Amino acid sequence: MRRKIIAGNWKMNKDIHETATLIAELRERMKEFKNEVDVVICPSYTSLVVAKSLIKDSSIKLGAQNMLQHDDGAYTGEVSTKMLTAIGCEYVILGHSERRQYFKETDELINAKIKKALSAGLTPIVCIGETLDEREAGITDKIITTQVNGVLRGLTSSEVEKLLIAYEPVWAIGTGKNATPEQANQVHKLIRKQVGQMYSWAIAEKLIIQYGGSMNAQNASALLSQSDIDGGLIGGASLKADLFMAIVQAGVESSG
Ligand code: 13P
């Protein structure tokens, strides 16, 4: 059985003071659980150091929302893997649709970032997903297959074993429209099949595939109890302790 992971992508929200408040609330609520699922928070860069010290001695893990594929040098405004690992970051979200849309990130660039993150010992949470136009044109499967191929190009089996994939249909992000559990599960199965064909079924079976896109306290149980949905990557609902913990609770219950 794959262990579920519930990750909060805080996006460009919460300064260090708000970060401290939210982490205090999360820690309090985490006492209800016995580490049945992995819980990760991904605050903005400016909050990472303070977040790391505030989650000390808890089971909450830390992730960043992006990084650059170069070691160091003249890349104004960017952050390297070394900077992230030095502060104890374990995860990094790569290829989020907002990075693809607003910062023109391509599968090729995301692939380079994944390789760099893995070589630094970070666990990439690799995002893929179709837009509304693509879904309505009936080309979701083609888009997903192309993205899986593109972002994993040249990765070895042992590298693929160390990453997570998040299926985030772009039309469901921040819109309040989530994919139905069946719609999402169908795409998760497709991703698993594709990874199985590229690597092996043993690797595909172990691959953690999270769902992201308007996951909330109401729909989390139904989504997380699907056969191939192994967790959530949560935006809006990760900014409030009660809402995020309701999703963690759903993750615990669906872990059986
Ligand atoms: P929402 O949960 O706000 O739809 O965001 C999902 C997301 O983009 C997580 O990375």
Side-chain angles (χ1 to χ4, degrees), residues 43-92:
S44 62
Y45 289 139
T46 55
S47 284
L48 287 172
V49 173
V50 72
K52 184 65 191 177
S53 69
L54 293 170
I55 59 176
K56 195 167 177 277
D57 302 322
S58 83
S59 58
I60 302 174
K61 300 202 171 86
L62 190 66
Q65 298 174 18
N66 185 31
M67 44 149 269
L68 194 66
Q69 73 278 16
H70 299 299
D71 283 328
D72 45 37
Y75 299 102
T76 303
E78 291 294 339
V79 166
S80 70
T81 53
K82 185 163 162 268
M83 293 168 184
L84 296 179
T85 53
I87 59 167
C89 223
E90 292 176 68
Y91 293 82
V92 61

Side-chain angles (χ1 to χ4, degrees), residues 30-242:
M30 286 286 284
K31 289 180 187 158
E32 296 162 30
F33 304 107
K34 298 190 197 70
N35 200 24
E36 298 97 329
V37 298
D38 287 330
V39 175
V40 180
I41 54 170
C42 304
S44 62
Y45 289 139
T46 55
S47 284
L48 287 172
V49 173
V50 72
K52 184 65 191 177
S53 69
L54 293 170
I55 59 176
K56 195 167 177 277
D57 302 322
S58 83
S59 58
I60 302 174
K61 300 202 171 86
L62 190 66
Q65 298 174 18
N66 185 31
M67 44 149 269
L68 194 66
Q69 73 278 16
H70 299 299
D71 283 328
D72 45 37
Y75 299 102
T76 303
E78 291 294 339
V79 166
S80 70
T81 53
K82 185 163 162 268
M83 293 168 184
L84 296 179
T85 53
I87 59 167
C89 223
E90 292 176 68
Y91 293 82
V92 61
I93 300 172
L94 293 175
H96 193 280
S97 63
E98 287 148 18
R99 303 276 338 154
R100 292 173 186 262
Q101 186 184 348
Y102 304 131
F103 304 96
K104 307 293 168 236
E105 294 202 5
T106 60
D107 287 341
E108 197 183 355
L109 175 70
I110 296 156
N111 173 257
K113 290 188 176 194
I114 295 170
K115 288 175 179 160
K116 190 74 206 172
L118 287 167
S119 74
L122 288 164
T123 300
I125 298 178
V126 182
C127 303
I128 56 174
E130 81 287 1
T131 62
L132 185 58
D133 284 352
E134 290 161 349
R135 177 158 283 266
E136 286 178 346
I139 55 169
T140 298
D141 288 10
K142 184 168 156 262
I143 296 295
I144 295 297
T145 308
T146 305
Q147 289 181 347
V148 172
N149 268 321
V151 297
L152 299 186
R153 183 155 297 136
L155 265 67
T156 63
S157 300
S158 62
E159 286 177 320
V160 172
E161 280 176 324
K162 295 190 189 104
L163 57 78
L164 319 178
I165 290 183
Y167 168 55
E168 298 209 317
V170 180
W171 49 271
I173 296 176
T175 58
K177 281 188 217 157
N178 62 291
T180 65
E182 295 73 24
Q183 265 175 338
N185 202 42
Q186 203 178 6
V187 178
H188 283 226
K189 279 180 184 285
L190 172 74
I191 296 166
R192 206 176 296 290
K193 187 168 147 221
Q194 177 73 9
V195 170
Q197 279 165 3
M198 292 171 76
Y199 295 92
S200 70
W201 186 242
I203 287 177
E205 263 194 323
K206 278 191 251 152
L207 177 70
I208 306 277
I209 309 176
Q210 297 165 281
Y211 169 80
S214 298
M215 190 184 269
N216 58 36
Q218 285 73 42
N219 60 29
S221 281
L223 284 159
L224 292 169
S225 47
Q226 292 291 315
S227 64
D228 286 76
I229 300 185
D230 309 317
L233 182 56
I234 295 106
S238 71
L239 300 174
K240 293 217 161 71
D242 277 1

